[in-house]
Amino acid sequence: MIVHKFGGTSVGDARRFANVADIVIENHQQANGTVVVVSAMSGVTNQLIAGARAAAEGRDTVYREIKAGLLARHLEAVEALLNHSPERLDVGGLVEDRLHELERLYRSIAVLGELTARGRDVVASFGEQLSVNILAAVLRERGVRAQAVSATELLVTDDNFGTAAPLMDQTRARLQQRVRPLVERGVIPVITGYIGATEQGVTTTLGRGGSDFSAALVGAGLDADAVWIWSDVDGILTADPNVVPQARTLAELSYVEAANLAYFGADVLHPKTIRPVVASGIPLRILNSFNPTHPGTWIVETTNPGRELLPAIISTAGLSLIAIGSQDDSWTLDMATRALQRLSEAAVDVLMFSQSFSEHSLNLVVREQDQAHCSKILGREFENDGPSPTCNLGTKEQVATISVVGVPGWNDTGIIPHAFAALGKHGTRVIAVTQAATEHSVSFCIPEEQMADTVRYLHRELGLEGQDE
Ligand code: ASP
Ligand code: MG
């Protein structure tokens, strides 16, 4: 049995949905059972959450427009994919009903004037609920037996809203009881990524980008032969191929190496994805739904001793840096803790942070779309600290991060001096740095406009431009 996971860009529009259906059907013919896990259409989760924040702030037109946009986009996909199918009315009706429900939820958030973590998770779960129903209908339309299944019935989690942790025994029992029989009857279950529910049935989410994690949990709970994660690049590469066309695919990685790369933000894999499959040694494979014949990257328990070891450069654009500091020496570690705690409660991912004691400040890197929200939360947290403001908040927009992740044994002097030297030579302006305790990786926050050039330069300087294959 193979568990296939498709991310948001793989189901970004009607054509992409059709392409996913092709991939699923083709692989299903050769597999001994197929399970599919799907994300929301690209950008949908961001919009759902933006709508909830707007509702809590009483910006009615904003959330209404978001709901209308989501309705139009999903119906357009349904129309294009199921135009001649009897499924069209059912799925179209379901999309309308769900989005009607979303608007009701937004309205109640607006009435309360407050967005709780629990409410935010319910809102954020709508995207996957829509995409699974569309994909299952498209598969049925093509003559395959498929059934949409909500992971709220399968993935049992704690009630840590925004980053819920799975309760593996219960999850396994439910998967065995509800999903295995479908697979044995030749039905393809199409399961929502990213979401789950508490034992009491309250909807939770596993964290942004969590559909990969869902797929690994489903694979582990069903004792699958492998989990294949379909994204939009040819596996895990030495650099983002959209920035460095010569980037090379890492053909094989160990669980530890892959977890390390994922931790540094390799977008193709959520950092929590590895843990569920390690115990049972289930291989993961990263593939490109836009280029399905490429072998991609295998992530396995025991790597081939002859494989080539290469470092990787991971870059992320579209970020903002928030600096919190104090003019005097009143900055304490406790203030950093409070800042991180508040952001964690708001389920905002902090992608990088560095703390400077000599400058009495903390630098936090967050996604652009979270910046205004973060500044508001932090402003509120520190405004009551004293009669005169001891804390000031500054933001720098349009920043990017670059992480260089080495592998032990790649180069005797390690990767960090090489990375620093290359950035210096290139003249990249470094805004903040963090270095891992292992000495094998380092991350830089730099101006976004310098990112592409810097990544290309680093890739060349580190000698990663060899021939693929
Ligand atoms: N749709 C969710 C998100 O955007 C989960 C995922 O895409 O993996 O975070
Ligand atoms: Mg992802």
Side-chain angles (χ1 to χ4, degrees):
M1 182 201 305
I2 311 269
V3 176
H4 294 269
K5 178 262 167 176
F6 295 92
T9 49
S10 297
V11 293
D13 58 26
R15 268 187 44 214
R16 304 303 311 154
F17 265 110
N19 173 63
V20 165
D22 290 341
I23 293 174
V24 170
I25 291 169
E26 185 170 337
N27 286 288
H28 182 55
Q29 280 150 4
Q30 297 145 25
N32 196 2
T34 303
V35 176
V36 175
V37 173
V38 203
S39 296
M41 292 174 79
S42 52
V44 166
T45 311
N46 282 347
Q47 286 172 323
L48 288 166
I49 294 172
R53 288 174 183 165
E57 289 162 9
R59 289 181 287 133
D60 293 7
T61 40
V62 176
Y63 74 73
R64 281 200 199 108
E65 271 167 25
I66 287 176
K67 180 250 164 177
L70 291 171
L71 182 64
R73 185 165 166 209
H74 286 88
L75 284 183
E76 194 184 309
V78 171
E79 290 295 321
L81 289 159
L82 301 167
N83 198 5
H84 304 293
S85 160
E87 298 266 2
R88 181 181 136 219
L89 280 182
D90 285 351
V91 183
L94 183 140
V95 167
E96 280 175 9
D97 288 351
R98 300 311 324 259
L99 287 168
H100 211 76
E101 199 183 316
L102 174 74
E103 186 161 4
R104 272 209 309 272
L105 233 122
Y106 278 163
R107 241 182 283 139
S108 49
I109 293 169
V111 170
L112 290 172
E114 182 193 24
L115 178 60
T116 62
R118 178 174 166 159
R120 190 185 47 233
D121 272 5
V122 176
V123 167
S125 74
F126 275 73
E128 274 73 8
Q129 304 277 15
L130 297 172
S131 59
V132 286
N133 279 288
I134 298 175
L135 182 60
V138 174
L139 288 168
R140 286 194 296 269
E141 161 68 13
R142 299 199 183 187
V144 203
R145 297 169 69 203
Q147 188 179 319
V149 187
S150 171
T152 50
E153 292 167 26
L154 304 172
L155 297 196
V156 186
T157 72
D158 64 13
D159 62 357
N160 217 330
F161 298 104
T163 46
L167 307 177
M168 209 50 216
D169 291 344
Q170 286 99 310
T171 297
R172 188 184 172 81
R174 298 237 189 135
L175 285 162
Q176 290 291 344
Q177 195 190 333
R178 304 201 182 169
V179 177
R180 180 167 291 285
L182 291 176
V183 178
E184 280 167 1
R185 280 192 278 131
V187 177
I188 303 180
V190 182
I191 304 174
T192 53
Y194 179 51
I195 67 178
T198 63
E199 276 181 288
Q200 290 73 34
V202 182
T203 302
T204 55
T205 63
L206 306 177
R208 296 305 311 272
S211 297
D212 300 342
F213 186 29
S214 303
L217 293 166
V218 168
L222 289 171
D223 306 306
D225 297 307
V227 176
W228 289 12
I229 298 194
W230 294 87
S231 80
D232 54 3
V233 287
D234 295 334
I236 298 183
L237 289 94
T238 51
D240 181 345
N242 299 310
V243 177
V244 186
Q246 304 89 332
R248 298 156 71 191
T249 294
L250 305 170
E252 195 184 76
L253 292 169
S254 70
Y255 286 138
V256 176
E257 290 159 356
N260 200 23
L261 290 174
Y263 174 78
F264 281 100
D267 227 16
V268 292
L269 193 65
H270 189 276
K272 289 184 184 160
T273 314
I274 308 289
R275 220 179 310 146
V277 295
V278 169
S280 35
I282 300 172
L284 287 172
R285 189 177 184 191
I286 317 286
L287 292 137
N288 188 353
S289 71
F290 292 72
N291 183 18
T293 53
H294 193 286
T297 300
W298 281 97
I299 301 166
V300 293
E301 193 169 20
T302 321
T303 50
N304 180 347
R307 85 202 155 110
E308 189 179 20
L309 286 171
L310 291 172
I313 301 166
I314 295 156
S315 52
T316 312
L319 307 176
S320 295
L321 180 124
I322 301 181
I324 324 172
S326 62
Q327 298 100 330
D328 47 40
D329 55 5
S330 60
W331 180 255
T332 60
L333 195 53
D334 167 61
M335 292 163 90
T337 312
R338 278 165 54 201
L340 292 169
Q341 180 70 32
R342 291 294 91 78
L343 296 181
S344 148
E345 283 159 9
V348 172
D349 284 340
V350 176
L351 295 131
M352 172 176 166
F353 70 88
S354 67
Q355 143 106 14
S356 160
F357 280 105
S358 59
E359 288 176 13
H360 313 295
S361 69
L362 175 72
N363 288 322
L364 300 161
V365 177
V366 298
R367 294 190 185 91
E368 222 159 62
Q369 70 263 25
D370 288 331
Q371 182 225 304
H373 193 58
C374 285
S375 298
K376 226 174 277 168
I377 293 172
L378 296 172
R380 224 182 294 137
E381 174 66 19
F382 293 109
E383 76 191 350
N384 298 324
D385 266 16
S388 60
T390 48
C391 244
N392 38 43
L393 273 179
T395 50
K396 186 178 270 305
E397 292 173 6
Q398 295 181 338
V399 300
T401 58
I402 295 182
S403 298
V404 184
V405 185
V407 273
W410 171 72
N411 185 305
D412 289 345
T413 52
I415 198 136
I416 295 177
H418 287 275
F420 272 103
L423 259 64
K425 231 160 61 183
H426 186 253
T428 305
R429 202 160 69 76
V430 175
I431 305 169
V433 187
T434 60
Q435 187 182 325
T438 59
E439 292 180 24
H440 292 305
S441 43
V442 58
S443 304
F444 303 95
C445 176
I446 65 166
E448 189 174 81
E449 81 251 13
Q450 290 197 309
M451 185 191 84
D453 261 1
T454 303
V455 172
R456 285 192 278 266
Y457 189 80
L458 257 172
H459 198 259
R460 222 172 17 242
E461 282 292 292
L462 295 174
L464 299 178
E465 236 139 75
Q467 306 242 295
D468 205 352
E469 252 88 276

